[in-house]
Amino acid sequence: MPITTANGIDLYYEIHGEGEPLLLVMGLSLSSKSWFRTIPALSKQYKVIVFDNRGVGLSGKPNSPYSIEQMADDAKAVLDAAEVESAHIYGISMGGMIAQRLALKYPERIRSLILGCTTSGGEKHVQPSSEVSMLMLSRASSTATPEELAWATAPILYSQSFIESHRDLIAEDIQRRIEIPILPYAYMLQLQACLSHDTYNEIQQIKTPVLVIHGDEDRLVPYENGVTLVEKIPNAEFLTIKGAGHIYITEANDLVNKPVLEFLSKQ
């Protein structure tokens, strides 16, 4: 159980496989356990590094404001602890925000960038519906159990057709999520960091190869945000997952891993 202490907190991380280093950065409220469908495919060819963001899993959970830049510094600290000079970075949702800031602040540490179901924030950010926003905000004050909360948010994380046909896979996801459930205050601190994220006027500075991935039925981070990333980042490639919601790494795991590996192999 490797743990490094950096930026005033403990950061838990794991390393799987061998090869060029690939850092996976998870999204809002989820620990590194949520990469369980992705790690087996990518670690066959890469040294896959996963970690728990501040506020989740086995990492520290300070009760003071979080920022995306602060979490990017945490990600860099994990690379340092793993003795990695530069790595491919794959971030989804909040993890994609962290990956953007990491690439802007520490470009020499980045070999390539994969941005999944995420946004630049800022003036062109397309908000989710008010219903989705209210549900996300209400989670911190809910008296429901972690499992009940996870099922309540399933309709905004997965496409309706996937919910109807693959409840078993969603149940597997939820069991991983609730092994170490996020504390309400830590959830709000992460959410507030996401709401403050804004790289819109900076992302054109990213010079590394970039692949943007987005499901076109994403209700939490609407698809238009992926389009904006591709329009702003020079020479970015775009992979649309038709019919997929926010958690496309569950809905289309095999479909996504192949082009991800093809993209990485070209860098």
Side-chain angles (χ1 to χ4, degrees):
M1 287 178 35
I3 290 180
T4 186
T5 301
N7 307 320
I9 65 168
D10 289 341
L11 294 166
Y12 172 82
Y13 68 99
E14 299 175 359
I15 298 174
H16 302 263
E18 297 179 353
E20 293 183 15
L22 169 61
L23 181 71
L24 305 184
V25 192
M26 187 38 72
L28 173 68
S29 83
L30 304 182
S31 76
S32 55
K33 291 180 180 293
S34 290
W35 285 112
F36 74 100
R37 300 185 191 279
T38 304
I39 291 171
L42 302 188
S43 62
K44 291 177 182 177
Q45 299 180 39
Y46 292 88
K47 177 182 179 178
V48 174
I49 307 160
V50 296
F51 71 104
D52 291 342
N53 289 308
R54 62 175 57 219
V56 298
L58 297 174
S59 286
K61 304 168 182 63
N63 192 358
S64 55
Y66 300 177
S67 70
I68 296 299
E69 181 170 0
Q70 190 179 44
M71 288 190 274
D73 288 339
D74 293 343
K76 173 186 171 290
V78 170
L79 291 178
D80 293 342
E83 299 182 340
V84 169
E85 288 291 325
S86 64
H88 305 285
I89 312 294
Y90 183 1
I92 61 172
S93 196
M94 182 184 77
M97 302 176 194
I98 295 168
Q100 292 169 57
R101 183 53 63 193
L102 188 64
L104 289 164
K105 191 171 183 180
Y106 304 104
E108 72 282 358
R109 307 298 294 269
I110 313 300
R111 299 188 186 193
S112 70
L113 204 57
I114 302 173
L115 303 175
C117 55
T118 193
T119 177
S120 65
E123 61 188 85
K124 294 293 186 179
H125 175 66
V126 177
Q127 299 280 0
S129 69
S130 57
E131 173 193 4
V132 169
S133 297
M134 289 301 296
L135 181 55
M136 295 301 290
L137 287 168
S138 68
R139 279 186 56 181
S141 58
S142 174
T143 58
T145 67
E147 184 170 9
E148 289 168 342
L149 276 174
W151 279 109
T153 55
I156 64 176
L157 297 178
Y158 304 90
S159 66
Q160 185 58 40
S161 61
F162 191 79
I163 292 172
E164 292 170 357
S165 59
H166 291 91
R167 286 184 67 85
D168 56 331
L169 297 183
I170 297 173
E172 287 179 10
D173 283 4
I174 288 172
Q175 286 308 307
R176 299 294 179 118
R177 273 178 227 163
I178 65 176
E179 284 181 26
I180 308 177
I182 190 168
L183 299 171
Y185 79 84
Y187 171 78
M188 281 306 299
L189 291 170
Q190 282 198 350
L191 180 60
Q192 287 163 358
C194 292
L195 295 175
S196 299
H197 165 69
D198 183 359
T199 56
Y200 179 75
N201 291 316
E202 301 173 77
I203 52 174
Q204 69 273 12
Q205 300 170 23
I206 295 175
K207 304 303 182 187
T208 53
V210 175
L211 172 64
V212 175
I213 307 173
H214 223 109
D216 65 0
E217 292 192 20
D218 191 333
R219 295 184 65 198
L220 184 59
V221 183
Y223 178 75
E224 293 83 356
N225 293 295
V227 174
T228 297
L229 287 171
V230 174
E231 290 175 347
K232 289 279 289 185
I233 301 173
N235 303 312
E237 301 178 32
F238 197 18
L239 173 62
T240 297
I241 310 300
K242 293 190 178 300
H246 191 63
I247 310 294
Y248 69 77
I249 58 171
T250 294
E251 291 200 34
N253 182 50
D254 293 338
L255 175 66
V256 169
N257 287 334
K258 182 179 179 182
V260 164
L261 287 168
E262 288 175 351
F263 170 78
L264 291 171
S265 70
K266 295 184 295 184
Q267 313 314 324

